[in-house]
Amino acid sequence: MLTQFAMQRLDDQLEKYDEWADKFENLPLYFMTFHGQHSIKSVIDTMQHAVYMYDISHVVIDNLQFMMGQEHFTVDKFSAQDYIVGTFRKFATDNSCHVTLIIHPRKEDDNKELQAASIFGTAKASQEADNVLILQDKKLVSGQGKRYLQVVKNRFDGELGIFPLEFKKASLTFSAVKGRAKLQKVKEDSDNTPEQPGNSTDAKEKK
């Protein structure tokens, strides 16, 4: 994380390490000191304490499936997931705190792009969310493939599209492709965006 924050490797620039470490330490960033799996109640209690003590406004939970392994419900795993998602939604609303919940997708074919329906479990996660972002990794026969961040739900203004990404090895970060940092609308730029069945101009003309 320090390498990502400094946007450069500090291994061979140790004289800069203290400078960047001090800057990193001053960030309003806190980590929950959990090691291994913990119950949803323990996590919520810790989040509640962080909001009260440190005025936290954004919490990142990584990840939902890992948390579910600790929950012992008499119901099926999908009901358990819905309960956890609903609990985080209520916490976000009651505390005016943004919660980013990372959910791994269900297994899909490598040649298919992920959709909102690819989210593991029921539709409750995408229904409760204000925003849904999907990290797409399109495998190609030659090369490493194309990666982009796709906005599939946006309750703020409804604008959807993609952000093409490229990996920068020096800083271990993904960032927007130079010159293409703005959100690209899917319908307006079909050359650089995933094809949506039945939405292309050719498909409409052939019908």
Side-chain angles (χ1 to χ4, degrees):
M1 292 183 68
L2 188 58
T3 299
Q4 295 170 333
F5 177 62
M7 295 297 290
Q8 58 184 310
R9 287 189 176 277
L10 301 175
D11 306 52
D12 53 354
Q13 303 180 72
L14 296 180
E15 68 279 1
K16 296 182 179 180
Y17 181 86
D18 289 341
E19 175 188 352
W20 283 106
D22 290 341
K23 291 180 180 180
F24 187 81
E25 189 177 25
N26 290 329
L27 292 176
L29 185 66
Y30 301 88
F31 294 88
M32 288 187 277
T33 56
F34 290 154
H35 301 283
Q37 298 171 342
H38 285 263
S39 67
I40 179 65
K41 184 180 184 305
S42 298
V43 175
I44 290 294
D45 287 346
T46 302
M47 292 164 55
Q48 190 75 58
H49 177 76
V51 170
Y52 177 76
M53 291 294 296
Y54 307 112
D55 198 26
I56 295 297
S57 59
H58 187 186
V59 177
V60 180
I61 303 295
D62 185 9
N63 62 67
L64 175 64
Q65 282 89 340
F66 184 77
M67 288 191 58
M68 286 178 59
Q70 188 67 18
E71 297 298 329
H72 300 286
F73 293 93
T74 57
V75 294
D76 62 276
K77 61 182 179 180
F78 296 123
S79 297
Q81 176 175 321
D82 288 351
Y83 169 78
I84 294 174
V85 169
T87 302
F88 281 128
R89 171 75 259 188
K90 185 177 186 304
F91 172 86
T93 302
D94 292 348
N95 296 276
S96 298
C97 180
H98 189 100
V99 177
T100 295
L101 181 59
I102 298 173
I103 306 177
H104 292 302
R106 61 167 57 98
K107 295 293 183 182
E108 300 279 17
D109 293 337
D110 290 339
N111 59 344
K112 290 184 179 180
E113 288 161 342
L114 300 176
Q115 304 174 15
S118 302
I119 298 174
F120 180 83
T122 67
K124 185 176 179 65
S126 58
Q127 290 172 349
E128 292 282 8
D130 292 325
N131 310 294
V132 178
L133 309 178
I134 297 179
L135 182 59
Q136 300 278 10
D137 188 359
K138 189 174 182 180
K139 304 295 184 182
L140 299 178
V141 177
S142 59
Q144 297 181 344
K146 295 181 179 179
R147 293 186 177 93
Y148 49 90
L149 190 65
Q150 183 174 7
V151 182
V152 297
K153 181 179 180 180
N154 178 1
R155 193 169 281 172
F156 177 68
D157 61 9
E159 187 172 7
L160 308 177
I162 66 170
F163 288 96
L165 300 174
E166 63 180 357
F167 180 69
K168 297 184 178 180
K169 189 175 181 179
S171 59
L172 304 177
T173 59
F174 282 99
S175 58
V177 178
K178 189 175 181 180
R180 299 165 63 188
K182 294 183 178 180
L183 180 68
Q184 299 180 8
K185 293 183 179 180
V186 174
K187 292 183 180 180
E188 294 181 357
D189 190 4
S190 58
D191 292 335
N192 296 320
T193 57
E195 295 181 2
Q196 301 294 329
N199 287 344
S200 66
T201 304
D202 292 341
K204 291 180 179 179
E205 291 177 352
K206 289 178 182 179
K207 290 185 178 179

